Amino acid sequence: EKSKLGQPAKVANQTKKARRIFVGNVPRETGISEEQMLDALYKEMISRGLAATDHNPIVSLKFSREDPRAGFLMMDTPQSAEHVLQIDGWLMLPGNPIQLRRHDHYAPTLDTMAELGIAGAKPVGASTGIHVSGSPGQPALPDRTSPLPALPGPPAPAVGPQLPPPLPILGAQPQGVVRMTAAVIRIQHALDPQGHETEDDYLDVLDDMELGCSKHGRILSSYIVRPKDAGMVVGAEPGDVFIQLGTVGEAQAAVDNMAPRKYEQRFLNYSSVDERLWNQVKQLILQ
């Protein structure tokens, strides 16, 4: 099976995290469109010898629904992602230096390192299950885009971690006061699975939720539940987002800021997840 990049779909999915770039300081107030922004970035890459005139390495650019001055790029290869990072701060639109960076908790996989030509890495497509952290001695961070392991045979009765039952879907009014008791935030139904079937749809929403939370602290781990995850964790539903911050205070500040605001024309439910329970969930869905 081939992806729209002409690569085997498995390889494209393995490198997706390495090909995704955050765009900041976007002058949305000027009326610039996603297409105009993408074209300006491509032209800047050409002018600096980082892209060819007959091939645009930028696959897509989408503005954030959480932050009006942010967006996300998807590049065609990890190498082109490294190239576009070199124009961070150089493109001015108009007079605004456009910011380009990776997620703060990005860590390359061995597959990505192999595609970038780093010595000692295994070939792309090799199964490792290992992820490399940013500094020696630091534990590897989970890959939030890795596929879940296949479960043999019919699903067994739930005996693992069980989340509290879902809260009712909100209407025209925000949730009200939310008291966080743990550093892990559950954002219920951040994405409505109806009509959203691609991995990019889920990553776009996860990026938006991370963007909102990261203003209040460092994100330690995150995940969005996909339809294929159904039944693996009792109480989790497709479209639910889990974000672990460093402290309860950081989680409280993030929820206080995000809960009173609509996301895609609707209010979302926020709640705490006990960190010991979240660690059990991570063992199941993030490895």
Side-chain angles (χ1 to χ4, degrees), residues 91-109:
L91 177 61
M92 309 291 284
L93 291 175
N96 290 295
I98 302 303
Q99 301 168 353
L100 297 162
R101 63 173 173 80
R102 296 192 184 277
H103 279 291
D104 293 337
H105 55 296
Y106 167 76
T109 64

Side-chain angles (χ1 to χ4, degrees), residues 10 14 44 59 87 126 143 151 168 186 212-213 231 236-237 241 285:
K10 180 178 179 182
Q14 286 171 336
E44 186 70 18
V59 177
I87 65 172
D143 183 352
L151 297 178
R186 177 187 183 181
C213 290
E237 298 184 343
V241 169
I285 65 175

Side-chain angles (χ1 to χ4, degrees), residues 193-248:
Q194 298 298 322
H196 295 88
E197 299 177 354
T198 71
E199 178 70 8
D200 284 349
D201 291 332
Y202 284 84
L203 285 179
D204 286 343
V205 171
L206 182 57
D207 280 335
D208 279 340
M209 297 299 106
E210 287 181 342
L211 191 59
C213 290
S214 65
K215 298 172 184 176
H216 305 280
R218 181 169 179 265
I219 296 175
L220 303 183
S221 61
S222 62
Y223 194 74
I224 184 168
V225 180
R226 283 84 160 169
K228 61 184 174 62
D229 305 338
M232 292 194 70
V233 179
V234 176
E237 298 184 343
D240 286 0
V241 169
F242 297 88
I243 294 181
Q244 180 184 19
L245 291 167
T247 68
V248 177

Side-chain angles (χ1 to χ4, degrees), residues 2-223:
K2 293 282 186 178
S3 74
K4 64 181 179 181
L5 303 175
Q7 303 167 312
K10 180 178 179 182
V11 173
N13 284 332
Q14 286 171 336
T15 63
K16 184 168 289 185
K17 190 175 179 183
R19 296 186 287 111
R20 202 167 179 85
I21 301 295
F22 170 83
V23 186
N25 208 25
V26 179
R28 297 269 294 277
E29 67 278 3
T30 65
I32 191 171
S33 68
E34 292 173 336
E35 293 76 15
Q36 290 170 328
M37 184 79 196
L38 187 154
D39 187 57
L41 287 165
Y42 176 42
K43 289 178 177 176
E44 186 70 18
M45 291 184 72
I46 292 174
S47 72
R48 297 184 180 278
L50 298 170
T53 56
D54 60 350
H55 173 69
N56 188 345
I58 305 174
V59 177
S60 64
L61 184 148
K62 293 183 180 180
F63 290 152
S64 170
R65 289 158 289 190
E66 168 63 26
D67 186 335
R69 295 184 63 81
F72 301 94
L73 287 178
M74 182 64 75
M75 306 300 292
D76 61 352
T77 66
Q79 292 97 327
S80 64
E82 292 295 322
H83 292 161
V84 78
L85 288 171
Q86 295 181 41
I87 65 172
D88 173 37
W90 287 100
L91 177 61
M92 309 291 284
L93 291 175
N96 290 295
I98 302 303
Q99 301 168 353
L100 297 162
R101 63 173 173 80
R102 296 192 184 277
H103 279 291
D104 293 337
H105 55 296
Y106 167 76
T109 64
L110 289 181
D111 285 324
T112 300
M113 293 170 66
E115 187 158 331
L116 289 171
I118 298 175
K122 298 184 73 172
V124 172
S127 176
T128 63
I130 302 172
H131 301 94
V132 182
S133 62
S135 60
Q138 187 179 20
L141 294 172
D143 183 352
R144 59 188 173 90
T145 64
S146 294
L148 297 175
L151 297 178
V159 294
Q162 183 167 349
L163 296 167
L167 297 168
I169 296 177
L170 295 174
Q173 297 297 321
Q175 186 175 3
V177 177
V178 182
R179 296 299 181 197
M180 298 299 292
T181 59
V184 182
I185 305 170
R186 177 187 183 181
I187 308 172
Q188 188 180 318
H189 299 133
L191 173 70
D192 180 357
Q194 298 298 322
H196 295 88
E197 299 177 354
T198 71
E199 178 70 8
D200 284 349
D201 291 332
Y202 284 84
L203 285 179
D204 286 343
V205 171
L206 182 57
D207 280 335
D208 279 340
M209 297 299 106
E210 287 181 342
L211 191 59
C213 290
S214 65
K215 298 172 184 176
H216 305 280
R218 181 169 179 265
I219 296 175
L220 303 183
S221 61
S222 62
Y223 194 74

